[in-house]
């Protein structure tokens, strides 16, 4: 079975309902993003980086987006 194409991801604030979307780019599809904390002891849950491998179907190349 072919895998579904994922064009981005969203962060949902469950308290406020606010949704922030990130799109990988035109004709770019990626896998599951991974969060890497900048400081493992930080109390700010957003302090860090999101990494995801993305495939550009037009250029037929892959890239790591941070």
């Amino acid at each position: 079975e072919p895998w579904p194409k994922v064009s981005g991801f969203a962060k949902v604030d469950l308290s406020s309902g606010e949704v922030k979307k990130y799109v990988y780019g035109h004709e770019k599809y990626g896998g599951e993003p991974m969060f890497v904390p900048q400081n493992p002891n930080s109390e700010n849950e957003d302090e860090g980086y999101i990494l995801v491998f993305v495939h550009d179907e037009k250029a037929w190349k892959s890239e790591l987006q941070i």
Side-chain angles (χ1 to χ4, degrees):
E1 296 290 327
W3 288 92
K5 294 181 179 180
V6 178
S7 60
F9 62 91
K11 177 186 176 190
V12 180
D13 184 323
L14 298 177
S15 298
S16 69
E18 179 185 14
V19 177
K20 294 181 182 177
K21 295 181 182 179
Y22 178 81
V23 178
Y24 299 136
H26 182 68
E27 292 189 45
K28 293 183 179 184
Y29 304 97
E32 184 173 350
M34 182 174 107
F35 180 77
V36 179
Q38 185 175 8
N39 176 357
N41 300 317
S42 175
E43 294 189 21
N44 181 354
E45 68 179 22
D46 289 339
E47 190 174 301
Y49 306 94
I50 298 174
L51 286 72
V52 63
F53 284 105
V54 173
H55 185 256
D56 182 333
E57 292 198 349
K58 188 173 183 180
W60 204 250
K61 292 183 179 182
S62 295
E63 62 190 24
L64 173 65
Q65 291 188 4
I66 302 172

